[in-house]
Amino acid sequence: MSNATILIADDDEDIRLALNLLLSAQGYQIIEAANAKEIIIESNRQQPDLVLLDMNFSRDTTSGQEGLAILEQLQPLNIPVILMTAWGSIELAVQGLQKGASDFIEKPWNKLKLLNSIKQQLKFSRVKEQNQGYRQLLAPENKKTWVCKSPSMQAIETLIEQIAPTDANILILGENGTGKSLLAERIHQLSSRQHAPLITVNMAAIPENLFESELFGHQKGAFTDAKQNRVGRFQLADKGTLFFDEIGSLPLTLQPKLLRVLETGQYEILGSSQTQVADVRLISATNADLNQLVSEQAFRQDLLYRLNTLVITIPPLRERLEDIEALATSFITKFSVKYRKNALTISACALSKLNQHNWPGNIREFSHMIERAVLLTAGDEITAQQLLLESTESKNDTVILQPLEQAEKQLIEKAMAVSGGQVVEAAKLLDISRNALYRRLEKFAIQHAE
């Protein structure tokens, strides 16, 4: 694990420098973050193997509460975190460990103790990851979210069982929310690369000026803001699967850069003259009509040919109603466990309502609706009333003429409601980038969780 990536999160530049020098000499790859926002962004973007997290930032200098708050935000990423503070106390250490920290050290640190702690936590994390992967391979419940009762989905299942073991590039088509990313995961699980990483890239969320850095990585000093080395997605997915979501949103100016690596299998890390070889299986997905984009000269035909060796089109939920009951059961089980509810059932009337709904948001809308119903259900059975479908349908039936800006605001509010306040999910429903939605949320002063 000497080549593991460690995120040093401290607002003191001298502390970051000292730790960088110490850990780099041990062979670790280093990322730095100076505030809470940078910590969350870099942790999500680069998925470090371990985080060294200072307990006190700009909000205060002694309580450690800001560090604990950041720790809570890091927990869903399952990254081991070692807490650091110059104001150590037993009480603070206990709080940190209770909230999921792996270890706790005081400043000034003992070098040997710090290095041993890092080594131990990385080793434990690797063993935990291997055991988790083994349990997932054995557990039959791991396949419950992939539902294929309908004839159209059974046909897709038969097809992917044939093509998944190959390394052929696959293009997944379908409306927003139909489960394209879930299908990509299913293909990866059935492939010969299942024990290597599946790396997802949202092509709509990458700024044009960072495209090469995101995909191919960069070395420190490669450009003005390159303050540290960065591992690209092709390298992260080495010997595994690379999933390009929303490939249709890739700007025409960037398409040749992607085409080159797909044609030759070669690329260079920014700032390096050494050619790297990409060993990945490529899966792409889009809700756009790529043939239409080609005819409009908005998408390169030669790039399309590289992506669509095999094409799978996922039907919208309204065309696979045979899957409704199985999906409902799966999501009810999932959210009952999440919210510590007793085992719930769903009434026949509620199932009838689900089958009558048009599902413009497809599986994504279905999942959020069941989650909300589980939260609203006080008894043992979800009824039609808890689905809140009537109010949704009445709003969909009539289009009211109104100023365009007002209509845009209402549409964004509806997407945020359907997605449960999740900005990324709402952006997918609206078919815009996350940054574009953030700008509109700010413009209309719409509250959101992220």
Side-chain angles (χ1 to χ4, degrees):
M1 293 297 290
S2 60
N3 61 343
T5 300
I6 297 177
L7 171 61
I8 301 172
D10 198 304
D11 59 351
D12 188 326
E13 187 176 359
D14 291 334
I15 294 291
R16 295 199 308 273
L17 176 60
L19 285 169
N20 195 327
L21 292 172
L22 172 65
L23 300 178
S24 296
Q26 301 296 317
Y28 295 114
Q29 301 296 314
I30 303 302
I31 309 167
E32 295 182 14
N35 55 56
K37 183 177 180 180
E38 288 182 8
I39 295 167
I40 302 305
I41 290 174
E42 292 299 325
S43 296
N44 278 280
R45 179 181 293 171
Q46 303 209 45
Q47 293 289 310
D49 297 295
L50 182 139
V51 175
L52 283 175
L53 176 64
D54 187 32
M55 296 293 290
N56 300 295
F57 289 77
S58 56
R59 198 162 67 191
D60 60 54
T61 58
T62 60
S63 74
Q65 292 307 306
E66 190 166 10
L68 293 175
I70 295 170
L71 175 63
E72 287 186 332
Q73 295 181 66
L74 291 174
Q75 289 311 295
L77 300 178
N78 293 317
I79 301 172
V81 178
I82 297 177
L83 301 176
M84 304 185 295
T85 181
W87 304 87
S89 70
I90 297 299
E91 292 78 15
L92 192 57
V94 170
Q95 287 185 56
L97 295 173
Q98 287 176 338
K99 290 181 181 294
S102 300
D103 203 352
F104 186 95
I105 64 168
E106 294 183 33
K107 300 176 186 173
W109 54 81
N110 178 288
K111 291 182 181 180
L112 184 59
K113 182 180 178 181
L114 173 60
L115 292 175
N116 285 338
S117 177
I118 291 173
K119 184 177 180 180
Q120 181 180 2
Q121 295 309 323
L122 288 173
K123 182 179 179 180
F124 178 78
S125 178
R126 175 60 61 88
V127 171
K128 183 179 177 182
E129 179 182 333
Q130 290 172 345
N131 289 342
Q132 179 65 23
Y134 181 69
R135 288 195 297 270
Q136 288 176 348
L137 287 171
L138 293 180
E141 64 269 20
N142 191 47
K143 297 183 180 180
K144 284 187 177 179
T145 53
W146 177 249
V147 174
C148 52
K149 298 283 187 182
S150 62
S152 58
M153 293 303 293
Q154 286 180 4
I156 289 177
E157 175 70 8
T158 301
L159 176 60
I160 64 174
E161 287 178 355
Q162 281 184 279
I163 64 177
T166 74
D167 273 348
N169 290 344
I170 296 175
L171 176 62
I172 303 174
L173 304 177
E175 295 179 5
N176 277 327
T178 49
K180 295 186 288 294
S181 61
L182 183 61
L183 177 54
E185 291 176 16
R186 177 73 173 153
I187 294 169
H188 177 71
Q189 288 171 359
L190 295 175
S191 76
S192 59
R193 296 172 178 263
Q194 60 182 275
H195 299 296
L198 167 64
I199 302 296
T200 298
V201 184
N202 184 346
M203 304 300 271
I206 302 178
E208 288 193 37
N209 62 325
L210 296 179
F211 177 80
E212 290 180 276
S213 174
E214 285 282 345
L215 263 60
F216 311 133
H218 67 246
Q219 291 190 338
K220 184 177 180 180
F223 49 88
T224 304
D225 293 327
K227 298 179 181 178
Q228 58 214 10
N229 293 340
R230 178 181 180 81
V231 179
R233 302 305 177 91
F234 273 94
Q235 189 173 352
L236 287 172
D238 187 49
K239 295 183 175 56
T241 303
L242 192 56
F243 175 47
F244 287 152
D245 198 7
E246 299 187 50
I247 189 67
S249 65
L250 183 64
L252 190 62
T253 54
L254 299 179
Q255 292 174 25
K257 298 176 181 178
L258 177 60
L259 179 61
R260 184 240 171 173
V261 67
L262 297 186
E263 286 182 334
T264 66
Q266 298 179 339
Y267 66 94
E268 285 80 39
I269 298 172
L270 290 181
S272 170
S273 59
Q274 184 176 356
T275 298
Q276 308 289 325
V277 177
D279 180 8
V280 300
R281 200 270 183 83
L282 182 65
I283 302 176
S284 305
T286 183
N287 68 319
D289 185 339
L290 293 185
N291 288 315
Q292 179 65 30
L293 292 178
V294 169
S295 67
E296 295 171 357
Q297 297 186 337
F299 201 90
R300 292 179 63 113
Q301 189 171 54
D302 47 3
L303 177 56
L304 177 57
Y305 289 154
R306 287 288 173 182
L307 299 174
N308 69 350
T309 304
L310 292 163
V311 178
I312 302 175
T313 301
I314 302 183
L317 186 54
R318 61 184 174 274
E319 295 179 7
R320 45 179 289 207
L321 297 180
E322 298 91 340
D323 293 330
I324 290 289
E325 185 172 356
L327 283 167
T329 301
S330 176
F331 285 132
I332 289 170
T333 301
K334 172 184 174 181
F335 293 120
S336 294
V337 172
K338 178 179 179 180
Y339 295 112
R340 297 180 176 85
K341 293 257 189 173
N342 293 329
L344 297 176
T345 59
I346 187 166
S347 70
C349 182
L351 275 175
S352 177
K353 286 286 186 182
L354 292 175
N355 279 285
Q356 293 169 19
H357 189 56
N358 194 45
W359 299 112
N362 292 296
I363 304 294
R364 188 177 295 119
E365 179 188 359
F366 192 102
S367 172
H368 289 307
M369 182 175 292
I370 296 297
E371 182 175 14
R372 181 177 58 201
V374 168
L375 285 168
L376 293 175
T377 300
D380 296 326
E381 184 181 64
I382 295 175
T383 66
Q385 184 178 4
Q386 271 101 41
L387 297 176
L388 302 180
L389 270 171
E390 291 78 11
S391 59
T392 302
E393 289 172 350
S394 63
K395 289 178 182 177
N396 286 338
D397 289 340
T398 306
V399 177
I400 301 172
L401 288 175
Q402 57 185 311
L404 186 59
E405 189 166 289
Q406 184 178 344
E408 182 183 26
K409 180 181 179 183
Q410 290 182 3
L411 189 61
I412 291 172
E413 289 174 336
K414 181 176 180 180
M416 292 295 290
V418 169
S419 67
Q422 300 299 312
V423 174
V424 173
E425 299 297 336
K428 289 181 178 179
L429 286 175
L430 295 168
D431 197 18
I432 60 177
S433 70
R434 179 180 56 183
N435 290 336
L437 180 54
Y438 273 124
R439 289 194 295 271
R440 287 166 173 81
L441 290 171
E442 185 176 354
K443 172 184 176 182
F444 296 120
I446 299 174
Q447 298 296 317
H448 56 90
E450 296 180 62

